[in-house]
Amino acid sequence: MISVFGSVNMDLVAYVPTAPKLGETVTGRSFRTIPGGKGANQAIAASRAGADVAFLGAVGDDSFGVVLRATLVESGVDVSVLRQAQGSSGIAHIVVEDSSGNSIIVVPGANGTVTGPSEDDLELIAGSSAVLLQLELPMEAVVSAAKAAKAAGAPVILTPAPAQPLSDELLDAVTLIVPNEHEAAAITGVEDPAKALDALLERVPEAVITLGSEGALYGSRDGVRLPVPAVRVQAVDTTAAGDTFVGALAVARAEGLSPEDALRFASVAASISVQREGASTSMPTRAEIDAALS
């Protein structure tokens, strides 16, 4: 069982030729509401990639909350401990350019009420083969979940997004950190990804820096360094590509794949997702990943 302790949002997605500059109005070509949030995205990605997954977090008591819960269930994710908070669910306003780039504004809503794992959450965390964390919940909650996972002997995979300072208290509990190149630079103060990787490994045992169309770079404290080439595809929408990568990577690691094979598995999953619009709607099934790998 993989547990994901994190955020769930309704994504309000506008597709435009070019994103507006400050003070500018542009005409979009389409609009969609799509369930998302980094936590829910990773949970759905891992479930579709073949794992048993539990999601730990909160939705609001609004209509979005109903849809968000149902989407997780339809994707095979265990929501038995998913909380319902008074007020609105989390939302993300996303602008996607025709170039496939995006910009995002997140309003936490119910996610902001999660100040720590509940007793039920702790029970699931203790029985997990991995615990996935991100930074869209209050930091105190993320730290508490990480420490609980470490105490139970469960590997912790952290996506440090949105980027912010990371305490030693948190990183001491992290097994693998997976920033993109911008987050890695913000965390370490080092622009060059290879040097940023070395800096990250001074604080955590393993790290993967995702590099978009340039692939990814993996390293561990035992001296392993693996450049992972990207799968060449025509990207349509890169929203949640990183979450797809992390969810699939967690599955591959839980199944005992080597770092090289696990990273290849995750890269293929992400390459499929960017060829489709949306976040949770873009994530591939295990059959699709296996077919692309064969």
Side-chain angles (χ1 to χ4, degrees), residues 1-3 121-131 152 154:
M1 168 75 76
I2 292 173
S3 291
D121 293 343
L122 291 171
E123 185 175 343
L124 281 173
I125 287 171
S128 297
S129 58
V131 176

Side-chain angles (χ1 to χ4, degrees), residues 42-135:
Q42 292 182 6
I44 291 171
S47 178
R48 290 185 180 168
D52 292 329
V53 180
F55 181 74
L56 293 56
V59 295
D61 58 5
D62 55 357
S63 59
F64 283 162
V66 174
V67 175
L68 293 170
R69 183 184 293 271
T71 299
L72 288 162
V73 171
E74 290 165 6
S75 298
V77 177
D78 178 356
V79 296
S80 59
V81 299
L82 178 61
R83 311 174 205 178
Q84 183 180 81
Q86 289 187 333
S88 65
S89 298
I91 66 99
H93 180 268
I94 304 175
V95 177
V96 180
E97 295 187 321
D98 286 348
S99 66
S100 82
N102 63 71
S103 57
I104 305 174
I105 300 171
V106 175
V107 181
N111 298 304
T113 69
V114 182
T115 57
S118 67
E119 289 301 318
D120 289 335
D121 293 343
L122 291 171
E123 185 175 343
L124 281 173
I125 287 171
S128 297
S129 58
V131 176
L132 275 55
L133 304 173
Q134 320 78 36
L135 301 180

Side-chain angles (χ1 to χ4, degrees), residues 2-284:
I2 292 173
S3 291
V4 183
F5 183 75
S7 60
V8 54
N9 298 322
M10 183 61 77
D11 293 347
L12 312 177
V13 189
Y15 295 91
V16 298
T18 305
K21 300 179 179 65
L22 187 64
E24 180 184 16
T25 299
V26 301
T27 299
R29 59 178 175 81
S30 64
F31 172 79
R32 298 176 69 188
T33 55
I34 305 171
K38 296 196 74 63
N41 288 343
Q42 292 182 6
I44 291 171
S47 178
R48 290 185 180 168
D52 292 329
V53 180
F55 181 74
L56 293 56
V59 295
D61 58 5
D62 55 357
S63 59
F64 283 162
V66 174
V67 175
L68 293 170
R69 183 184 293 271
T71 299
L72 288 162
V73 171
E74 290 165 6
S75 298
V77 177
D78 178 356
V79 296
S80 59
V81 299
L82 178 61
R83 311 174 205 178
Q84 183 180 81
Q86 289 187 333
S88 65
S89 298
I91 66 99
H93 180 268
I94 304 175
V95 177
V96 180
E97 295 187 321
D98 286 348
S99 66
S100 82
N102 63 71
S103 57
I104 305 174
I105 300 171
V106 175
V107 181
N111 298 304
T113 69
V114 182
T115 57
S118 67
E119 289 301 318
D120 289 335
D121 293 343
L122 291 171
E123 185 175 343
L124 281 173
I125 287 171
S128 297
S129 58
V131 176
L132 275 55
L133 304 173
Q134 320 78 36
L135 301 180
E136 289 184 342
L137 295 182
M139 183 60 80
E140 62 184 300
V142 177
V143 172
S144 293
K147 291 170 69 176
K150 181 181 180 181
V156 174
I157 301 176
L158 173 66
T159 303
Q164 54 188 288
L166 304 178
S167 67
D168 290 339
E169 184 180 24
L170 172 58
L171 292 180
D172 285 347
V174 171
T175 308
L176 168 68
I177 191 168
V178 190
N180 64 28
E181 58 188 311
H182 307 295
E183 292 153 0
I187 294 165
T188 64
V190 180
E191 293 291 335
D192 178 74
K195 293 179 179 178
L197 183 68
D198 290 336
L200 288 170
L201 292 172
E202 293 177 2
R203 304 185 72 187
V204 295
E206 296 178 83
V208 178
I209 299 177
T210 58
L211 305 171
S213 62
E214 297 303 312
L217 185 61
Y218 167 85
S220 66
R221 282 180 177 167
D222 60 10
V224 175
R225 297 291 186 277
L226 289 173
V228 183
V231 180
R232 298 301 175 187
V233 296
Q234 182 61 50
V236 173
D237 182 358
T238 59
T239 305
D243 294 328
T244 302
F245 181 94
V246 172
L249 181 62
V251 174
R253 287 170 62 94
E255 292 181 0
L257 271 64
S258 68
E260 186 172 8
D261 289 342
L263 290 161
R264 174 66 177 167
F265 184 90
S267 295
V268 166
S271 76
I272 297 171
S273 77
V274 301
Q275 298 177 70
R276 305 167 177 170
E277 292 185 343
S280 60
T281 51
S282 71
M283 295 166 177

